[in-house]
Amino acid sequence: MSLNRRAWRLAAPLAVLALLAGACGSSGSNNSGGAAAAPQTAGQADINPQDVSSLQQGGNFRWAINEIPPNFNYNELDGTLSDNADIINSLYPRPFFFDAAGKPTVFADYFTDVKLTSTDPQVVTYTINPKAKWSDGSAVSWEDFDAQFKALNGTNPAFQVSSSTGYSDIAKVEMGTNAQQAVVTFTNKFSDWQSLFSPLYPKAVNATPDAFNTSLTTSPGVTAGPFKYDSTDQTAKTVTLKPDAAWWGDKPVLGSITYVALDQAAQVQALVNNEIDYTNIGSSVNDNKTARDAQGVSVRQALAPDYRHLTFNGAAGSILSDKDLRVAVMKGINRDGIAQALLNGIAQNPKTLGNHIYVEGLDGYQDNSSVVSYDPDAASKALDALGWVKNGDTRTKDGKTLEIRDVIPTGVATSAQEAQIVQQNLQVIGVKLTIDTVPSAGFFKDFVNVGNFDITHFAWLGTPFPVSSSGSIYGKYADVQQNYGRIGDTSINDLFTQANQELDPAKKIDLANQIDKAIWDEGFSLLLYQRPQNHAVRSTVANFGSPGFGDVDYTKIGFTKS
C-alpha cells in the first residue's frame, strides 16, 4: 500500500497493501479441501488477472470489514486502520502507485510528475494532473498539500494525528509554477519522502483541529477518486460507494462496492452463503478449510509484509512498566509454539518473526530477537531476581500478585488461540494471565488507543516504507501517535531521526537494525509471526485477491462473464 503509516487489524484481515490488475499469479482456485501452504516469494500477487473487456460491466462487490470506521480521516488517530484504508484507497489522491513487489510509479491519474528536485536542501516537486478535481468541483491544488503539512507536522497537539513522521521534517510548502504544482522544502532530509501526502485530503479537512478530528466521522465527505461515497446503513452495518461520474481516469468496471461490517468469526460463512464476495481469512485454519471446501470460492495467496505481535503496556503505573519485567515475561512465552499452532498447514515452514522493522522478503531483514528467546528457567530466575516470589501457582511482590490482563476482541479466533497459549506458557513461570474479551467494535478506540490493557495482540500492516512507518509506533513522543504501550526512550527516537534522514540504503538498513535491537532490549513488543496473505474470494471475481506488496486498482475489479 502507498499509505504512509501502518494500519492495524484485529486478526485475519490484513494487508492495506493492495493489488495490480497486471500482477503475476494464478487464479487461485485451489478448492481441494484442507489448507494449502502460502507461497513464500515476495513480489507476487494472486488476483485472477483479467482484461477488463472480458468482464461484466456493473455489479455490486460485497467486501467484508470488521467495523465501520469511526473516522474516515486515515491520518487521525482513530482512523488509521485497515478497514478504513480498504475504503478510502478508492476515494482520495496518492502520489504513487505500488506494484506487487512494492515498487512505485507516479500515480498518473493524479500527478503528471513527482520528483526530488533538490537534495540540499531536500525539495520535492509535485505537479498535479490538471484534470484532478475534488468531488465538489474544485481543483486539487498546492493548498491541499500546505494544509495537510500544517495539520500533520506535530506543532499543534490539538490535531489528533496518528503520526507526524516526515511532515515534522518539512519546512514549508509553496505554490510552484501555478496552483497545480506544490513545492515541498524540507528542514531535515527525509529518505522516505515518497510516503508523504498519501492519502491527500482536501484542505478543508485539515483547516482546523475540529475539522481534522471530527469532520469525517460519519462519511468521507469531499473526495477525488474513481468511486465516491454513496451511503451508510447503520442498521445493516454497510458503507456503499458508487462510481464518480466526474472521474477523469479509467472508468470502474463495478457498479458499486458495499463494505459489510461483520464479526470476523462470521465472515467466511457469509461468503459461503453468498452474502459477501470477499473476506481476508489470514491464518485461520478453520476458515481456510471452510473456504477451500466451498463451491464457487477461491483462496488466493501471497507473501505479505504484515505480522502478529503482542503489545506490552509499559506506561508509568502499569504492572509492566519495568523493562526487566517485560523481558522476563517475554522469555516465558513460546513464540515457536504459537507460530506452529497458528500457521501449521497455512504457511510453509512456520516460524517466528525476528525484526520489528523489516519482515522476511525485504532487504535488511535479520533476526535480532535472541534477547527474548524462549527459556522458562531463565524467565523464572529473572523474576526471582526482580523480587517476584513464587507462592504456589503465582508470584507476588510487596503483597501484589503478578497478574497480567490480556485484552482481546470478541469473535477473533486467532486472538483467542494466541491468548490461551500465552496463558498456559506464563502459568509455568508463575505469571497469572487474565484474558479480558471486549467488544470488537470498540477494541482499538476504547482499549488499545487509550492504553487500557497490560498486553494485547493484533496485526500490524506493512507499508513500502518500513523505517519511517515504524517511527510512530516505536518512537516515544509527547503525543501517543501509535505507541500504544508508551514504551521507548530518546536513543530510539534519535536513531529513527538518523535513519529517516539517511539517503544511503545500506547505511539506512544498518541504522534500522540498530533500532530493532534497541526495541527488543526495551521489551517493547513480542513479535509472533509474519502472516500469510490468504484471501477468500468468489471465484468469479477478477483482478482482486492477495496483492502481495502492491496497490489495488479499484477500477479493474469486476466479475467474469458466466
Side-chain angles (χ1 to χ4, degrees):
M1 83 179 177
S2 46
L3 301 181
N4 71 321
R5 65 209 64 197
R6 298 192 187 186
W8 29 245
R9 270 281 205 205
L10 299 183
L14 201 20
V16 191
L17 301 186
L19 30 144
L20 261 183
C24 56
S26 68
S27 65
S29 52
N30 345 318
N31 292 76
S32 57
Q40 297 297 303
T41 303
Q44 294 185 348
D46 186 1
I47 64 172
N48 186 21
Q50 302 287 334
D51 190 277
V52 295
S53 64
S54 68
L55 303 180
Q56 296 180 35
Q57 293 299 303
N60 179 38
F61 183 58
R62 299 163 298 177
W63 183 323
I65 57 177
N66 286 301
E67 63 174 307
I68 294 175
N71 197 322
F72 290 97
N73 183 354
Y74 187 82
N75 298 321
E76 197 271 343
L77 182 62
D78 294 331
T80 311
L81 72 165
S82 178
D83 287 339
N84 195 20
D86 287 343
I87 297 171
I88 68 169
N89 275 343
S90 69
L91 301 176
Y92 297 103
R94 287 171 283 154
F96 294 95
F97 192 91
F98 288 76
D99 68 13
K103 303 301 181 184
T105 57
V106 173
F107 205 151
D109 285 329
Y110 294 112
F111 297 90
T112 59
D113 192 31
V114 181
K115 62 185 177 183
L116 185 68
T117 49
S118 171
T119 57
D120 191 18
Q122 183 176 347
V123 179
V124 179
T125 301
Y126 299 81
T127 304
I128 301 164
N129 186 333
K131 297 179 181 179
K133 306 285 185 183
W134 296 107
S135 57
D136 63 2
S138 61
V140 178
S141 80
W142 77 276
E143 292 179 301
D144 301 309
F145 282 79
D146 187 47
Q148 187 151 316
F149 146 63
K150 289 173 179 174
L152 296 181
N153 65 13
T155 59
N156 186 347
F159 288 90
Q160 297 172 7
V161 305
S162 60
S163 175
S164 60
T165 299
Y167 295 97
S168 61
D169 295 308
I170 295 174
K172 59 183 177 179
V173 175
E174 298 174 297
M175 184 174 72
T177 56
N178 55 45
Q180 274 61 60
Q181 189 175 74
V183 179
V184 179
T185 302
F186 290 75
T187 302
N188 304 305
K189 287 185 171 61
F190 182 61
S191 58
D192 282 345
W193 59 269
Q194 291 169 312
S195 70
L196 299 177
F197 304 102
S198 180
L200 178 69
Y201 284 91
K203 61 183 179 182
V205 171
N206 296 300
T208 66
D210 185 62
F212 181 88
N213 299 333
T214 67
S215 68
L216 301 187
T217 54
T218 58
S219 76
V222 174
T223 56
F227 287 83
K228 64 180 181 179
Y229 173 75
D230 180 69
S231 62
T232 298
D233 186 330
Q234 292 291 350
T235 301
K237 296 184 178 179
T238 60
V239 175
T240 300
L241 308 181
K242 290 189 176 179
D244 188 342
W247 172 246
W248 54 93
D250 291 341
K251 302 303 181 184
V253 174
L254 292 171
S256 59
I257 302 175
T258 298
Y259 296 89
V260 184
L262 294 169
D263 282 345
Q264 179 61 44
Q267 290 184 14
V268 72
Q269 195 57 51
L271 179 65
V272 172
N273 293 342
N274 196 23
E275 297 166 359
I276 58 173
D277 299 304
Y278 158 72
T279 176
N280 189 326
I281 52 178
S283 56
S284 170
V285 174
N286 290 337
D287 285 354
N288 270 268
K289 185 178 187 308
T290 298
R292 291 176 184 282
D293 287 344
Q295 292 296 316
V297 172
S298 297
V299 176
R300 299 172 184 169
Q301 301 178 316
L303 185 67
D306 311 311
Y307 58 89
R308 294 283 296 177
H309 75 292
L310 299 178
T311 280
F312 280 57
N313 189 344
S318 68
I319 194 167
L320 294 172
S321 60
D322 183 348
K323 175 184 72 172
D324 294 331
L325 177 59
R326 294 194 298 271
V327 172
V329 170
M330 289 181 181
K331 289 181 178 180
I333 298 173
N334 186 352
R335 296 192 300 138
D336 287 317
I338 293 173
Q340 290 292 330
L342 272 295
L343 297 182
N344 189 30
I346 300 296
Q348 299 170 1
N349 185 28
K351 54 187 176 181
T352 58
L353 184 66
N355 198 299
H356 293 82
I357 310 298
Y358 300 110
V359 296
E360 290 204 60
L362 293 180
D363 291 340
Y365 178 81
Q366 67 183 45
D367 190 336
N368 298 316
S369 65
S370 60
V371 68
V372 297
S373 295
Y374 179 55
D375 189 338
D377 289 339
S380 293
K381 290 177 182 177
L383 292 171
D384 289 339
L386 291 169
W388 289 101
V389 179
K390 194 170 184 181
N391 294 312
D393 293 333
T394 59
R395 293 179 179 271
T396 59
K397 180 180 180 180
D398 300 328
K400 185 175 184 178
T401 300
L402 185 48
E403 180 175 0
I404 296 172
R405 175 171 161 260
D406 184 3
V407 175
I408 63 172
T410 58
V412 181
T414 299
S415 296
Q417 190 173 358
E418 290 168 353
Q420 289 162 9
I421 296 172
V422 172
Q423 186 180 56
Q424 293 165 5
N425 290 164
L426 294 184
Q427 185 177 12
V428 173
I429 62 172
V431 178
K432 182 179 180 180
L433 184 80
T434 299
I435 301 172
D436 185 3
T437 305
V438 303
S440 59
F443 173 64
F444 288 105
K445 187 175 186 294
D446 299 329
F447 293 90
V448 178
N449 292 4
V450 295
N452 187 5
F453 62 90
D454 292 327
I455 64 171
T456 188
H457 20 145
F458 51 91
W460 279 120
L461 281 63
T463 83
F465 310 100
V467 177
S468 61
S469 68
S470 299
S472 61
I473 301 171
Y474 304 114
K476 189 176 182 182
Y477 307 100
D479 53 344
V480 175
Q481 300 190 32
Q482 293 175 295
N483 186 344
Y484 306 125
R486 284 73 168 171
I487 297 170
D489 58 31
T490 55
S491 65
I492 293 177
N493 290 6
D494 291 344
L495 283 169
F496 268 116
T497 298
Q498 294 177 54
N500 286 331
Q501 294 178 7
E502 181 55 66
L503 301 180
D504 182 292
K507 292 179 181 179
K508 185 171 182 175
I509 285 173
D510 178 68
L511 286 165
N513 276 293
Q514 291 182 48
I515 294 170
D516 182 56
K517 291 173 183 177
I519 292 170
W520 282 116
D521 289 341
E522 276 290 320
F524 187 102
S525 61
L526 187 66
L527 303 181
L528 299 178
Y529 51 87
Q530 189 171 344
R531 287 164 33 86
Q533 199 175 69
N534 290 319
H535 291 189
V537 188
R538 197 152 312 285
S539 299
T540 54
V541 173
N543 301 324
F544 189 87
S546 290
F549 288 61
D551 265 327
V552 173
D553 188 338
Y554 284 74
T555 67
K556 292 180 171 58
I557 304 170
F559 295 94
T560 57
K561 295 177 181 178
S562 56

